Amino acid sequence: KSGTNGHARRSPLPGFIKPCLATLSSVAPKGDGWVHEIKFDGYRIQARISRSSITLKTRTGLDWTGKFPAVEAACRALTEHDAILDGEIVSANAQGVSDFSALQDDLKTGRQDRMVYYVFDLLHLDGHDLTGRPLTERKQALQALLRRLPKDSIIKLSEHLAESGATMLKHACAMQLEGIVS
């Protein structure tokens, strides 16, 4: 999807991009060329941000903007751009760990103060389709974009690590996290 000069190709902001989904495995991949992130226990949400509107969609394309007003409001800080972010909305417990049952309870009661939108990918930015670019390049662009947010924003970068998958998985299990995504 990249142009002949190696840059992301120009394209209009799409309404939705079908997300890549993880494949379950009981062991982490070995070898170089992998990055690993924490797997959050929440709802996968794609944020479509345009200069005039914010839309939050599930991994199947359902519009859930109304379910997450705090996330929608936080995304408004980025409306000087047209972008599609891919991430996971979670409710964090007292230890900062995502808790799916807490998220479900928060959705039922309308509680928004524990919600965090961990963003792990930038699929489109200001007229450029980034999906054909390497993940590490997209994450660099994402990090630069998110630097514009206030420090207390509920939108957070999902950091990745290039250390061994086995080590990452061991740490995730010890911390009672959901797992890792490689």
Side-chain angles (χ1 to χ4, degrees), residues 27-31 36 163-173 180 182:
V27 295
K30 296 178 183 173
H36 313 282
E163 74 176 89
S164 93
T167 301
M168 280 287 296
L169 184 57
K170 180 179 163 186
H171 289 305
C173 290
I180 64 171
S182 302

Side-chain angles (χ1 to χ4, degrees), residues 77-93:
L78 297 171
T79 55
E80 66 189 51
H81 298 279
D82 288 328
I84 295 184
L85 310 176
D86 193 5
E88 191 96 0
I89 295 178
V90 305
S91 285
N93 65 21

Side-chain angles (χ1 to χ4, degrees), residues 87-156:
E88 191 96 0
I89 295 178
V90 305
S91 285
N93 65 21
Q95 293 74 37
V97 176
S98 61
D99 182 334
F100 191 71
S101 62
L103 179 58
Q104 289 180 314
D105 288 344
D106 290 351
L107 285 170
K108 285 178 192 169
T109 63
R111 183 176 178 179
Q112 299 282 307
D113 63 302
R114 298 190 286 193
M115 290 188 187
V116 179
Y117 183 33
Y118 284 104
V119 183
F120 45 76
D121 205 350
L122 178 61
L123 306 175
H124 205 278
L125 181 63
D126 295 331
H128 295 280
D129 176 357
L130 304 180
T131 58
R133 306 302 308 152
L135 175 63
T136 53
E137 286 182 25
R138 295 192 314 266
K139 287 189 75 87
Q140 286 173 349
L142 176 61
Q143 186 174 28
L145 179 68
L146 296 185
R147 276 192 205 115
R148 301 167 190 263
L149 294 172
K151 296 288 184 210
D152 63 346
S153 176
I154 63 170
I155 301 172
K156 307 287 184 200

Side-chain angles (χ1 to χ4, degrees), residues 24-84:
L24 185 62
S25 176
S26 59
V27 295
K30 296 178 183 173
D32 295 333
W34 290 94
V35 295
H36 313 282
E37 301 175 22
I38 293 171
K39 182 183 182 312
F40 296 103
D41 198 5
Y43 284 112
R44 176 90 174 261
I45 296 291
Q46 192 175 100
R48 183 184 187 275
I49 301 167
S50 75
R51 288 165 172 55
S52 60
S53 68
I54 309 293
T55 307
L56 305 175
K57 293 194 175 181
T58 67
R59 67 183 188 167
T60 60
L62 298 175
D63 185 341
W64 277 19
T65 310
K67 293 181 184 285
F68 300 108
V71 175
E72 178 188 9
C75 287
R76 294 212 175 277
L78 297 171
T79 55
E80 66 189 51
H81 298 279
D82 288 328
I84 295 184

